[in-house]
Coordinates of all heavy atoms in Angstrom, one line a residue:
M1 N -0.7 125.6 -39.3 CA -0.1 125.6 -37.9 C -0.5 124.4 -37.2 O -1.6 124.0 -37.0 CB -0.6 126.9 -37.2 CG 0.0 127.0 -35.8 SD -0.4 128.6 -35.0 CE -2.0 128.2 -34.4
A2 N 0.5 123.6 -36.7 CA 0.3 122.4 -35.9 C 0.4 122.7 -34.4 O 1.3 123.5 -34.0 CB 1.3 121.3 -36.3
V3 N -0.5 122.2 -33.7 CA -0.6 122.5 -32.3 C -0.5 121.1 -31.5 O -1.2 120.2 -31.9 CB -1.9 123.2 -31.9 CG1 -2.1 123.2 -30.4 CG2 -1.8 124.6 -32.4
E4 N 0.3 121.1 -30.5 CA 0.4 119.9 -29.7 C -0.7 119.9 -28.7 O -0.9 120.9 -28.0 CB 1.8 119.9 -29.0 CG 2.0 118.6 -28.2 CD 3.3 118.7 -27.4 OE1 4.4 118.6 -28.1 OE2 3.3 118.9 -26.2
R5 N -1.4 118.8 -28.6 CA -2.5 118.8 -27.6 C -2.3 117.5 -26.7 O -2.1 116.4 -27.3 CB -3.8 118.8 -28.3 CG -4.1 120.0 -29.1 CD -5.5 120.1 -29.4 NE -6.4 120.2 -28.2 CZ -7.6 120.5 -28.3 NH1 -8.2 120.7 -29.4 NH2 -8.3 120.6 -27.2
K6 N -2.4 117.7 -25.5 CA -2.4 116.5 -24.6 C -3.9 116.2 -24.2 O -4.6 117.0 -23.8 CB -1.6 116.8 -23.3 CG -0.1 117.0 -23.6 CD 0.6 116.9 -22.3 CE 2.1 117.4 -22.4 NZ 2.8 116.9 -23.7
F7 N -4.2 114.9 -24.4 CA -5.5 114.5 -24.2 C -5.6 113.8 -22.8 O -4.6 113.3 -22.3 CB -6.1 113.6 -25.3 CG -6.4 114.4 -26.5 CD1 -5.4 114.7 -27.5 CD2 -7.7 114.9 -26.7 CE1 -5.7 115.4 -28.6 CE2 -7.9 115.6 -27.9 CZ -7.0 115.9 -28.8
A8 N -6.8 113.6 -22.3 CA -7.0 113.0 -21.0 C -6.5 111.5 -21.0 O -6.3 111.0 -19.9 CB -8.4 113.1 -20.6
D9 N -6.4 110.9 -22.1 CA -5.9 109.5 -22.1 C -4.4 109.4 -22.0 O -3.9 108.3 -22.1 CB -6.5 108.8 -23.4 CG -5.9 109.4 -24.7 OD1 -5.2 110.4 -24.6 OD2 -6.3 108.8 -25.7
G10 N -3.7 110.6 -21.9 CA -2.3 110.6 -21.7 C -1.5 110.7 -23.0 O -0.3 110.8 -22.9
Q11 N -2.2 110.6 -24.1 CA -1.5 110.6 -25.4 C -1.4 112.1 -25.8 O -2.2 112.9 -25.6 CB -2.2 109.8 -26.4 CG -2.2 108.3 -26.1 CD -2.8 107.5 -27.3 OE1 -2.4 107.7 -28.4 NE2 -3.8 106.7 -26.9
T12 N -0.3 112.3 -26.5 CA -0.1 113.7 -27.2 C -0.3 113.5 -28.7 O 0.3 112.6 -29.2 CB 1.2 114.2 -26.8 OG1 1.4 114.3 -25.4 CG2 1.4 115.6 -27.4
R13 N -1.1 114.4 -29.2 CA -1.3 114.3 -30.7 C -1.1 115.7 -31.2 O -1.2 116.7 -30.6 CB -2.7 113.8 -31.0 CG -2.9 112.4 -30.5 CD -4.3 112.0 -30.9 NE -4.7 110.7 -30.3 CZ -5.3 110.5 -29.2 NH1 -5.6 111.5 -28.4 NH2 -5.6 109.3 -28.7
Y14 N -0.8 115.7 -32.5 CA -0.6 117.0 -33.2 C -1.8 117.2 -34.1 O -2.2 116.3 -34.8 CB 0.7 117.1 -34.0 CG 1.9 117.1 -33.1 CD1 2.4 115.9 -32.6 CD2 2.4 118.3 -32.6 CE1 3.5 115.8 -31.8 CE2 3.5 118.3 -31.7 CZ 4.0 117.0 -31.3 OH 5.1 117.0 -30.5
E15 N -2.3 118.4 -34.2 CA -3.4 118.6 -35.1 C -3.3 120.0 -35.7 O -2.7 120.9 -35.1 CB -4.8 118.4 -34.5 CG -5.0 119.3 -33.3 CD -6.4 119.1 -32.7 OE1 -7.0 118.0 -33.0 OE2 -6.9 120.0 -32.0
N16 N -3.8 120.1 -36.9 CA -3.7 121.4 -37.6 C -4.9 122.3 -37.1 O -6.0 121.9 -36.9 CB -3.8 121.3 -39.1 CG -2.6 120.6 -39.6 OD1 -1.5 121.0 -39.3 ND2 -2.8 119.7 -40.5
V17 N -4.5 123.5 -36.8 CA -5.5 124.5 -36.2 C -5.5 125.7 -37.1 O -4.5 126.4 -37.2 CB -5.2 124.8 -34.8 CG1 -6.2 125.9 -34.3 CG2 -5.3 123.6 -33.9
D18 N -6.6 126.0 -37.7 CA -6.8 127.3 -38.4 C -7.2 128.3 -37.3 O -8.1 128.0 -36.5 CB -7.9 127.2 -39.5 CG -7.4 126.3 -40.6 OD1 -6.2 126.3 -40.9 OD2 -8.2 125.7 -41.2
Q19 N -6.6 129.4 -37.3 CA -6.8 130.3 -36.3 C -8.3 130.7 -36.2 O -8.9 131.0 -37.3 CB -6.0 131.6 -36.4 CG -5.3 132.0 -35.1 CD -4.2 133.0 -35.3 OE1 -4.0 133.5 -36.4 NE2 -3.5 133.3 -34.2
G20 N -8.9 130.7 -35.1 CA -10.3 131.1 -34.9 C -11.2 130.0 -35.1 O -12.4 130.1 -34.8
E21 N -10.8 128.9 -35.7 CA -11.7 127.8 -35.9 C -11.7 126.9 -34.7 O -10.7 126.5 -34.1 CB -11.2 127.0 -37.1 CG -12.2 125.9 -37.6 CD -11.7 125.1 -38.7 OE1 -11.2 125.7 -39.7 OE2 -11.8 123.9 -38.7
H22 N -12.9 126.5 -34.3 CA -13.1 125.7 -33.1 C -13.8 124.4 -33.5 O -14.7 124.4 -34.3 CB -13.9 126.5 -32.1 CG -14.4 125.7 -30.9 ND1 -13.5 125.4 -29.9 CD2 -15.5 125.1 -30.6 CE1 -14.1 124.6 -29.0 NE2 -15.4 124.4 -29.4
H23 N -13.3 123.4 -32.9 CA -14.0 122.1 -33.0 C -13.9 121.2 -31.8 O -12.9 121.4 -31.0 CB -13.6 121.4 -34.3 CG -12.1 121.1 -34.3 ND1 -11.2 121.8 -35.1 CD2 -11.3 120.3 -33.6 CE1 -10.0 121.3 -34.9 NE2 -10.0 120.4 -34.0
D24 N -14.8 120.3 -31.6 CA -14.7 119.4 -30.5 C -14.4 118.0 -31.0 O -14.2 117.8 -32.2 CB -16.0 119.5 -29.7 CG -16.2 120.8 -29.0 OD1 -15.2 121.3 -28.4 OD2 -17.2 121.4 -29.1
H25 N -14.2 117.1 -30.1 CA -13.6 115.8 -30.5 C -14.4 114.6 -30.1 O -14.8 114.5 -28.9 CB -12.2 115.7 -29.9 CG -11.3 116.8 -30.3 ND1 -11.2 118.0 -29.6 CD2 -10.4 117.0 -31.4 CE1 -10.4 118.8 -30.2 NE2 -9.9 118.2 -31.3
L26 N -14.4 113.6 -31.0 CA -14.8 112.3 -30.6 C -13.5 111.4 -30.7 O -12.9 111.4 -31.8 CB -15.9 111.7 -31.6 CG -17.2 112.3 -31.6 CD1 -18.0 112.0 -32.8 CD2 -18.0 111.9 -30.4
I27 N -13.1 110.8 -29.7 CA -11.8 110.1 -29.6 C -12.0 108.6 -29.5 O -12.6 108.2 -28.5 CB -10.9 110.7 -28.5 CG1 -10.7 112.2 -28.7 CG2 -9.6 109.9 -28.4 CD1 -10.1 112.9 -27.6
C28 N -11.5 107.8 -30.4 CA -11.6 106.4 -30.3 C -10.5 105.9 -29.4 O -9.3 106.1 -29.7 CB -11.5 105.8 -31.7 SG -11.6 104.0 -31.6
I29 N -10.8 105.2 -28.3 CA -9.8 104.7 -27.4 C -9.3 103.4 -27.9 O -8.3 102.9 -27.3 CB -10.4 104.6 -26.0 CG1 -11.6 103.6 -26.0 CG2 -10.8 105.9 -25.4 CD1 -12.1 103.4 -24.6
S30 N -9.8 102.9 -29.0 CA -9.3 101.6 -29.5 C -8.2 101.9 -30.6 O -7.1 101.3 -30.5 CB -10.4 100.8 -30.1 OG -10.0 99.6 -30.7
C31 N -8.4 102.7 -31.5 CA -7.4 103.0 -32.6 C -6.8 104.4 -32.5 O -5.9 104.7 -33.2 CB -8.0 102.8 -34.0 SG -9.2 104.0 -34.5
G32 N -7.3 105.2 -31.6 CA -6.7 106.6 -31.5 C -7.2 107.6 -32.5 O -6.8 108.7 -32.5
K33 N -8.2 107.2 -33.3 CA -8.7 108.1 -34.3 C -9.5 109.3 -33.6 O -10.1 109.1 -32.6 CB -9.7 107.4 -35.2 CG -10.2 108.2 -36.3 CD -11.4 107.5 -37.1 CE -10.8 106.2 -37.7 NZ -12.0 105.4 -38.3
I34 N -9.3 110.5 -34.1 CA -10.0 111.6 -33.6 C -10.9 112.2 -34.7 O -10.5 112.5 -35.7 CB -9.1 112.7 -33.1 CG1 -8.1 112.2 -32.1 CG2 -9.8 113.9 -32.6 CD1 -7.1 113.2 -31.7
L35 N -12.2 112.2 -34.4 CA -13.2 112.8 -35.3 C -13.5 114.1 -34.7 O -13.8 114.3 -33.6 CB -14.5 111.9 -35.3 CG -14.3 110.5 -35.8 CD1 -15.5 109.6 -35.5 CD2 -13.9 110.4 -37.3
E36 N -13.4 115.1 -35.6 CA -13.7 116.5 -35.2 C -15.1 116.9 -35.6 O -15.6 116.5 -36.6 CB -12.7 117.5 -35.9 CG -11.3 117.2 -35.5 CD -10.3 118.0 -36.3 OE1 -10.7 118.6 -37.3 OE2 -9.1 117.9 -36.0
F37 N -15.7 117.6 -34.7 CA -17.1 118.1 -35.0 C -17.3 119.4 -34.3 O -16.7 119.8 -33.3 CB -18.1 117.0 -34.5 CG -18.3 117.0 -33.0 CD1 -19.3 117.8 -32.4 CD2 -17.5 116.2 -32.2 CE1 -19.4 117.7 -31.0 CE2 -17.6 116.2 -30.9 CZ -18.6 116.9 -30.2
T38 N -18.3 120.1 -34.8 CA -18.9 121.3 -34.1 C -20.4 121.1 -34.1 O -20.9 120.6 -35.0 CB -18.5 122.6 -34.7 OG1 -18.8 122.6 -36.1 CG2 -17.0 122.9 -34.5
D39 N -21.0 121.5 -33.0 CA -22.4 121.5 -32.9 C -22.9 122.8 -32.3 O -22.5 123.0 -31.1 CB -22.9 120.3 -32.1 CG -24.4 120.1 -32.2 OD1 -25.1 121.0 -31.8 OD2 -24.8 119.0 -32.6
D40 N -23.6 123.5 -33.0 CA -24.1 124.8 -32.5 C -24.8 124.7 -31.2 O -24.7 125.6 -30.3 CB -24.9 125.6 -33.5 CG -24.1 126.0 -34.7 OD1 -22.9 126.1 -34.6 OD2 -24.7 126.3 -35.7
R41 N -25.6 123.6 -31.0 CA -26.4 123.5 -29.8 C -25.5 123.3 -28.6 O -25.7 123.8 -27.5 CB -27.3 122.3 -30.0 CG -28.5 122.5 -30.9 CD -29.2 121.2 -31.3 NE -28.2 120.3 -31.9 CZ -28.5 119.0 -32.1 NH1 -29.7 118.5 -31.9 NH2 -27.6 118.2 -32.7
I42 N -24.4 122.5 -28.8 CA -23.5 122.2 -27.7 C -22.8 123.5 -27.3 O -22.6 123.8 -26.2 CB -22.5 121.1 -28.1 CG1 -23.2 119.8 -28.1 CG2 -21.3 121.1 -27.1 CD1 -22.3 118.6 -28.6
E43 N -22.3 124.2 -28.3 CA -21.6 125.5 -28.1 C -22.5 126.5 -27.3 O -22.1 127.1 -26.3 CB -21.2 126.1 -29.4 CG -20.3 125.3 -30.3 CD -19.0 124.9 -29.5 OE1 -18.4 125.8 -28.9 OE2 -18.6 123.7 -29.6
K44 N -23.7 126.6 -27.8 CA -24.7 127.5 -27.1 C -25.0 127.1 -25.7 O -25.1 127.9 -24.8 CB -25.9 127.6 -28.0 CG -26.9 128.7 -27.6 CD -27.8 129.0 -28.8 CE -28.8 130.2 -28.4 NZ -29.7 129.8 -27.3
M45 N -25.2 125.8 -25.6 CA -25.5 125.2 -24.2 C -24.4 125.5 -23.2 O -24.7 125.9 -22.1 CB -25.7 123.7 -24.4 CG -26.5 123.1 -23.2 SD -26.8 121.4 -23.5 CE -27.9 121.4 -24.9
Q46 N -23.2 125.5 -23.7 CA -22.1 125.7 -22.7 C -22.1 127.2 -22.3 O -21.8 127.5 -21.2 CB -20.7 125.4 -23.4 CG -20.6 123.9 -23.5 CD -19.3 123.4 -24.3 OE1 -18.5 122.8 -23.7 NE2 -19.3 123.8 -25.5
E47 N -22.4 128.1 -23.3 CA -22.5 129.5 -22.9 C -23.6 129.7 -21.9 O -23.5 130.6 -21.0 CB -22.8 130.3 -24.2 CG -21.5 130.5 -25.1 CD -21.8 131.0 -26.4 OE1 -22.9 131.6 -26.6 OE2 -21.0 130.9 -27.4
E48 N -24.7 129.0 -22.1 CA -25.8 129.2 -21.2 C -25.5 128.7 -19.8 O -25.8 129.3 -18.8 CB -27.1 128.4 -21.7 CG -27.7 129.1 -22.9 CD -28.7 128.2 -23.6 OE1 -29.0 127.1 -23.1 OE2 -29.2 128.6 -24.7
I49 N -24.7 127.6 -19.7 CA -24.3 127.1 -18.4 C -23.4 128.1 -17.8 O -23.5 128.3 -16.6 CB -23.7 125.7 -18.6 CG1 -24.7 124.7 -19.0 CG2 -23.0 125.3 -17.3 CD1 -24.1 123.4 -19.6
A50 N -22.4 128.6 -18.5 CA -21.5 129.5 -18.0 C -22.2 130.8 -17.5 O -21.9 131.3 -16.4 CB -20.4 129.9 -19.1
A51 N -23.1 131.2 -18.2 CA -23.9 132.4 -17.8 C -24.6 132.2 -16.5 O -24.7 133.0 -15.6 CB -24.9 132.8 -18.9
R52 N -25.1 130.9 -16.3 CA -25.8 130.6 -15.1 C -24.9 130.7 -13.9 O -25.4 131.0 -12.8 CB -26.3 129.1 -15.3 CG -27.4 128.7 -14.3 CD -27.7 127.2 -14.5 NE -28.1 126.9 -15.8 CZ -28.1 125.7 -16.4 NH1 -27.7 124.7 -15.6 NH2 -28.5 125.5 -17.6
Y53 N -23.6 130.5 -14.1 CA -22.7 130.6 -13.0 C -21.9 131.9 -13.0 O -20.9 132.0 -12.4 CB -21.7 129.3 -13.0 CG -22.4 128.1 -12.7 CD1 -23.0 127.2 -13.7 CD2 -22.6 127.7 -11.3 CE1 -23.7 126.1 -13.3 CE2 -23.2 126.5 -11.0 CZ -23.8 125.7 -12.0 OH -24.4 124.5 -11.7
H54 N -22.3 132.8 -13.9 CA -21.6 134.1 -14.0 C -20.2 133.8 -14.3 O -19.3 134.4 -13.8 CB -21.8 135.0 -12.8 CG -23.2 135.2 -12.5 ND1 -24.1 136.0 -13.2 CD2 -24.0 134.7 -11.5 CE1 -25.3 136.0 -12.7 NE2 -25.3 135.2 -11.7
F55 N -19.9 132.9 -15.2 CA -18.6 132.5 -15.6 C -18.2 133.0 -17.0 O -19.0 132.8 -17.9 CB -18.5 131.0 -15.5 CG -17.1 130.4 -15.6 CD1 -16.4 130.2 -14.5 CD2 -16.6 130.1 -16.8 CE1 -15.1 129.7 -14.6 CE2 -15.3 129.5 -16.9 CZ -14.5 129.4 -15.8
A56 N -17.1 133.6 -17.1 CA -16.7 134.1 -18.4 C -15.8 133.0 -19.1 O -14.7 132.7 -18.6 CB -15.9 135.4 -18.3
I57 N -16.3 132.5 -20.2 CA -15.6 131.4 -20.9 C -14.4 132.0 -21.7 O -14.6 133.0 -22.5 CB -16.5 130.7 -21.9 CG1 -17.6 130.0 -21.1 CG2 -15.7 129.6 -22.7 CD1 -18.6 129.2 -22.0
K58 N -13.2 131.5 -21.6 CA -12.1 131.9 -22.4 C -12.0 130.8 -23.5 O -11.8 131.1 -24.7 CB -10.8 131.9 -21.6 CG -9.6 132.4 -22.4 CD -8.5 132.7 -21.4 CE -7.3 133.2 -22.2 NZ -6.7 132.2 -23.0
D59 N -12.1 129.6 -23.1 CA -11.9 128.5 -24.1 C -12.6 127.2 -23.5 O -12.8 127.2 -22.3 CB -10.4 128.3 -24.4 CG -10.2 127.4 -25.7 OD1 -11.2 127.2 -26.4 OD2 -9.1 127.0 -25.9
H60 N -12.8 126.3 -24.3 CA -13.2 125.0 -23.8 C -12.8 123.9 -24.7 O -12.5 124.1 -25.9 CB -14.8 125.0 -23.6 CG -15.5 124.8 -24.9 ND1 -16.1 125.9 -25.5 CD2 -15.8 123.8 -25.6 CE1 -16.7 125.5 -26.6 NE2 -16.5 124.2 -26.7
R61 N -12.8 122.7 -24.2 CA -12.5 121.5 -25.1 C -13.5 120.4 -24.6 O -13.7 120.2 -23.5 CB -11.1 121.1 -25.0 CG -10.6 120.9 -23.6 CD -9.1 121.0 -23.5 NE -8.6 119.7 -24.0 CZ -7.3 119.4 -23.9 NH1 -6.4 120.3 -23.5 NH2 -6.8 118.2 -24.2
L62 N -14.1 119.8 -25.6 CA -15.0 118.7 -25.4 C -14.4 117.5 -26.0 O -14.2 117.5 -27.2 CB -16.4 119.1 -26.0 CG -17.4 118.0 -25.8 CD1 -17.7 117.7 -24.4 CD2 -18.7 118.4 -26.5
E63 N -14.2 116.5 -25.2 CA -13.6 115.2 -25.7 C -14.5 114.1 -25.3 O -14.7 113.9 -24.1 CB -12.2 115.0 -25.1 CG -11.2 116.1 -25.5 CD -10.0 116.1 -24.7 OE1 -9.8 115.2 -23.9 OE2 -9.2 117.1 -24.9
I64 N -15.0 113.4 -26.3 CA -15.9 112.3 -26.0 C -15.1 111.0 -26.4 O -14.7 110.8 -27.5 CB -17.2 112.4 -26.9 CG1 -17.9 113.7 -26.5 CG2 -18.1 111.2 -26.6 CD1 -19.1 114.0 -27.4
Y65 N -15.0 110.1 -25.4 CA -14.2 108.9 -25.6 C -15.1 107.7 -25.8 O -16.1 107.6 -25.2 CB -13.3 108.7 -24.3 CG -12.2 109.7 -24.2 CD1 -12.5 110.9 -23.5 CD2 -11.0 109.6 -24.7 CE1 -11.5 111.9 -23.4 CE2 -10.0 110.5 -24.6 CZ -10.3 111.7 -23.9 OH -9.3 112.7 -23.8
G66 N -14.6 106.8 -26.7 CA -15.4 105.6 -27.0 C -14.7 104.9 -28.1 O -13.5 104.9 -28.3
A67 N -15.6 104.2 -28.9 CA -15.1 103.4 -30.0 C -15.7 104.0 -31.3 O -16.9 104.3 -31.4 CB -15.5 102.0 -29.9
C68 N -14.8 104.1 -32.4 CA -15.3 104.6 -33.6 C -16.1 103.5 -34.4 O -16.0 102.3 -34.0 CB -14.2 105.1 -34.5 SG -13.1 103.8 -35.1
A69 N -16.8 103.9 -35.4 CA -17.6 103.0 -36.2 C -16.7 101.8 -36.7 O -17.2 100.7 -36.7 CB -18.3 103.7 -37.3
D70 N -15.5 102.1 -37.2 CA -14.7 101.1 -37.8 C -14.3 100.0 -36.7 O -14.4 98.8 -37.0 CB -13.4 101.7 -38.3 CG -13.6 102.5 -39.6 OD1 -14.7 102.3 -40.2 OD2 -12.7 103.3 -39.9
C71 N -13.9 100.5 -35.5 CA -13.5 99.6 -34.4 C -14.7 98.8 -34.0 O -14.6 97.6 -33.7 CB -12.9 100.3 -33.3 SG -11.3 101.0 -33.7
L72 N -15.9 99.4 -33.9 CA -17.1 98.7 -33.5 C -17.4 97.6 -34.5 O -17.7 96.4 -34.1 CB -18.3 99.6 -33.4 CG -18.3 100.5 -32.2 CD1 -19.5 101.5 -32.3 CD2 -18.4 99.8 -30.9
K73 N -17.2 97.9 -35.8 CA -17.5 96.9 -36.8 C -16.5 95.7 -36.7 O -16.8 94.6 -36.8 CB -17.4 97.6 -38.2 CG -18.4 97.0 -39.2 CD -18.2 97.6 -40.6 CE -18.2 99.1 -40.6 NZ -17.8 99.6 -42.0
K74 N -15.2 96.1 -36.6 CA -14.1 95.1 -36.6 C -14.2 94.2 -35.4 O -14.0 93.0 -35.5 CB -12.7 95.9 -36.6 CG -11.9 95.6 -37.8 CD -10.6 96.4 -37.7 CE -10.7 97.9 -37.7 NZ -9.5 98.6 -37.5
Q75 N -14.3 94.8 -34.2 CA -14.2 94.0 -33.0 C -15.6 93.5 -32.5 O -15.6 92.7 -31.6 CB -13.5 94.8 -31.9 CG -12.1 95.2 -32.4 CD -11.5 96.2 -31.4 OE1 -12.0 96.4 -30.3 NE2 -10.4 96.9 -31.9
K76 N -16.6 94.1 -33.0 CA -17.9 93.7 -32.6 C -18.1 93.8 -31.1 O -18.7 92.9 -30.4 CB -18.3 92.3 -33.1 CG -18.3 92.2 -34.6 CD -18.8 90.8 -35.0 CE -19.2 90.8 -36.5 NZ -18.0 91.1 -37.4
I77 N -17.5 94.8 -30.5 CA -17.7 95.0 -29.1 C -18.8 96.1 -28.8 O -18.7 97.2 -29.3 CB -16.3 95.6 -28.5 CG1 -15.2 94.6 -28.8 CG2 -16.5 95.8 -27.0 CD1 -13.8 95.2 -28.3
P78 N -19.7 95.7 -28.0 CA -20.8 96.7 -27.7 C -20.1 97.8 -26.9 O -19.3 97.5 -26.0 CB -21.8 95.9 -26.8 CG -21.4 94.5 -27.0 CD -20.0 94.4 -27.4
P79 N -20.5 99.0 -27.1 CA -19.8 100.2 -26.4 C -19.8 100.0 -24.9 O -18.8 100.4 -24.3 CB -20.7 101.4 -26.9 CG -21.3 100.9 -28.1 CD -21.5 99.4 -28.1
H80 N -20.8 99.4 -24.3 CA -20.8 99.4 -22.9 C -19.8 98.3 -22.3 O -19.7 98.3 -21.1 CB -22.3 99.1 -22.4 CG -22.7 97.7 -22.7 ND1 -23.3 97.4 -24.0 CD2 -22.8 96.5 -22.1 CE1 -23.6 96.1 -24.0 NE2 -23.3 95.6 -22.9
L81 N -19.2 97.5 -23.2 CA -18.2 96.6 -22.7 C -16.8 97.0 -22.9 O -15.9 96.3 -22.5 CB -18.4 95.2 -23.4 CG -19.7 94.5 -23.1 CD1 -19.7 93.2 -23.9 CD2 -19.8 94.2 -21.6
L82 N -16.6 98.2 -23.4 CA -15.2 98.7 -23.7 C -14.5 99.0 -22.4 O -15.1 99.5 -21.4 CB -15.3 100.0 -24.5 CG -15.5 99.8 -26.0 CD1 -15.8 101.2 -26.6 CD2 -14.3 99.2 -26.6
Ligands
LIG1 ZN1 -16.8 123.4 -28.6
LIG2 ZN1 -11.3 103.3 -33.8

């Protein structure tokens, strides 16, 4: 199943989603590559924050923007100069 997702950088991308599977994103703003990851600590931390605010989470998306390893290597741009 392909799902259309609009990201904060204004681009729309399609990605395959297995039902019930959750992942967060590292997004390269140079080449557009999306690296998917899940981290139990991040997931748990979000639940703890929500609980602190008595907030019931339905869904969340975590998008980290920057440069991927390939682009860093190719362009030799330090991340803080992007
Ligand atoms: Zn997540
Ligand atoms: Zn890249």
Side-chain angles (χ1 to χ4, degrees):
M1 182 173 81
V3 167
E4 183 185 288
R5 298 195 63 172
K6 291 194 194 321
F7 287 85
D9 62 359
Q11 296 187 51
T12 300
R13 300 181 183 90
Y14 294 87
E15 60 179 20
N16 293 315
V17 174
D18 291 328
Q19 226 166 9
E21 189 184 311
H22 171 78
H23 56 252
D24 293 313
H25 303 86
L26 291 164
I27 299 168
C28 178
I29 56 176
S30 179
C31 72
K33 184 189 298 174
I34 301 176
L35 301 167
E36 298 171 352
F37 72 93
T38 52
D39 188 303
D40 290 344
R41 289 166 303 173
I42 289 176
E43 301 300 317
K44 192 163 181 292
M45 199 176 295
Q46 289 175 119
E47 285 169 18
E48 289 169 5
I49 292 165
R52 195 184 305 160
Y53 291 92
H54 304 287
F55 190 90
I57 298 178
K58 184 169 181 292
D59 196 9
H60 75 261
R61 50 199 281 187
L62 178 62
E63 298 166 7
I64 300 173
Y65 292 87
C68 70
D70 288 344
C71 289
L72 285 176
K73 215 187 305 172
K74 246 182 291 173
Q75 301 171 14
K76 297 186 167 62
I77 302 173
H80 66 277
L81 293 180
L82 281 169

